[in-house]
Amino acid sequence: MTPAIRATGAPDAQAAAAFIRGRVEGDWAAPVAGIVLGSGLGGLAQQLEQALPIPFSHIPGFPVATVAGHAGQVLLGRLAGKPVVMLAGRFHMYEGHPASLAAFPVRVLHALGAPVYIASNAAGGVRRTFAPGDLMLIADHINLMFRNPLIGPTEPGDERFPDMSDPYDPALRALMREAASAVGVSLQDGVYCGLLGPTYETPAEVRMLERLGADAVGMSTVPEVIMARAIGMRVVAVSCITNKAAGLSAERLSHAEVMEAGKAAGGQFEALITEFVRRLP
């Protein structure tokens, strides 16, 4: 059954943010960043100090997360001593959600005061030199989802025609590379391509993506980044390469494999993001 369409506008985001702030005892500290944890990368939530988890199902406008490996929680706490808000899971369009709902949590992070959006995802490696466990700093993306969360009336505070010439902030990408060097994590650069899913790509599709200039492929992130740019958030994103894309190896693809590879790379990912947050102003 297709999930019911929910309200996903700016006023709805303010209502969700007010609910979340209402769960905090004491003074509210605006987060320095909002972080979304992709499949298999949820271990970073364990690094939070003073963690306060709030299930998605309790938050106005949020549906229940249905994908294995997505805990379905908003977590408030401190990482590297700084206040952050984490999304342990996300909403995908292949679950039947519209693009506006897939991007709605970004509106909520912005309404909570986060100026920076840190996205992470599990992705298939299209670049032939990639191996499972590699981390890729996203330099740009290709939207082959053919969906956009901004379609419809312009919401208060949104930019109608956001500039996407630099969707992934150059200064934040430089800071992420500095963080990688500091903790000894190897970090590749590349282009992420977003497809709707939920099927993995065919070998012919992977050859097409390679010719189009994609280095990695996944089923998320793009709507979120579009939304973040429209509302003025700065964005940085990291893909965990969990498998070689179809046709580049003899292995069959499965979500269980994606989860295992994400967990295997979890230590490096956690060290990288923690150090990056430490360096945020």
Side-chain angles (χ1 to χ4, degrees):
M1 178 182 295
T2 300
I5 294 177
R6 296 166 181 256
T8 55
D12 308 298
Q14 291 292 340
F19 174 85
I20 292 168
R21 281 194 295 267
R23 299 290 296 272
V24 177
E25 296 182 0
D27 294 334
W28 170 256
V32 299
I35 306 168
V36 64
L37 304 177
S39 296
L41 301 174
L44 184 62
Q46 305 303 314
Q47 306 302 319
L48 273 185
E49 305 157 6
Q50 305 166 18
L52 171 64
I54 306 173
F56 283 174
S57 59
H58 291 186
I59 301 171
F62 276 43
V64 176
T66 66
V67 181
H70 290 250
Q73 293 179 328
V74 169
L75 298 112
L76 306 172
R78 289 184 174 269
L79 186 65
K82 296 185 177 180
V84 298
V85 56
M86 286 186 185
L87 299 169
R90 53 164 45 102
F91 313 136
H92 302 83
M93 286 186 286
Y94 62 70
E95 296 173 86
H97 302 310
S100 57
L101 181 54
F104 180 63
V106 179
R107 284 197 185 278
V108 177
L109 296 177
H110 183 252
L112 288 169
V116 170
Y117 182 56
I118 304 171
S120 68
N121 58 53
V126 175
R127 188 190 302 172
R128 292 173 183 265
T129 56
F130 276 164
D134 285 349
L135 296 179
M136 185 188 87
L137 180 62
I138 301 180
D140 204 346
H141 71 231
I142 302 170
N143 183 6
L144 293 187
M145 294 176 165
F146 302 110
R147 304 288 191 278
N148 192 304
L150 305 180
I151 290 175
T154 304
E155 291 288 328
D158 287 15
E159 186 173 350
R160 174 76 281 187
F161 302 108
D163 176 24
M164 296 296 286
S165 56
D166 256 330
Y168 301 89
D169 189 277
L172 293 181
R173 287 168 52 211
L175 190 65
M176 188 70 78
R177 285 190 287 268
E178 291 174 11
S181 178
V183 296
V185 169
S186 178
L187 190 61
Q188 308 288 336
D189 264 59
V191 174
Y192 176 85
C193 182
L195 273 66
L196 274 178
T199 54
Y200 293 111
E201 301 72 38
T202 68
E205 289 167 341
V206 171
R207 292 194 298 272
M208 174 194 72
L209 296 176
E210 188 176 30
R211 290 179 174 88
L212 288 176
D215 297 293
V217 61
M219 306 172 193
S220 67
T221 305
V222 170
E224 304 155 25
V225 174
I226 292 171
M227 180 61 71
R229 296 306 305 129
I231 59 181
M233 294 182 78
R234 302 170 68 197
V235 178
V236 67
V238 175
S239 290
C240 176
I241 306 301
T242 54
N243 56 275
K244 286 182 174 289
L248 302 185
S249 78
E251 299 296 322
R252 293 181 62 85
L253 304 181
S254 70
H255 189 62
E257 176 191 17
V258 167
M259 291 288 298
E260 285 304 313
K263 290 176 182 176
Q268 287 196 323
F269 172 77
E270 293 162 25
L272 173 65
I273 301 302
T274 301
E275 182 61 24
F276 175 80
V277 169
R278 191 189 319 277
R279 291 166 180 261
L280 281 175

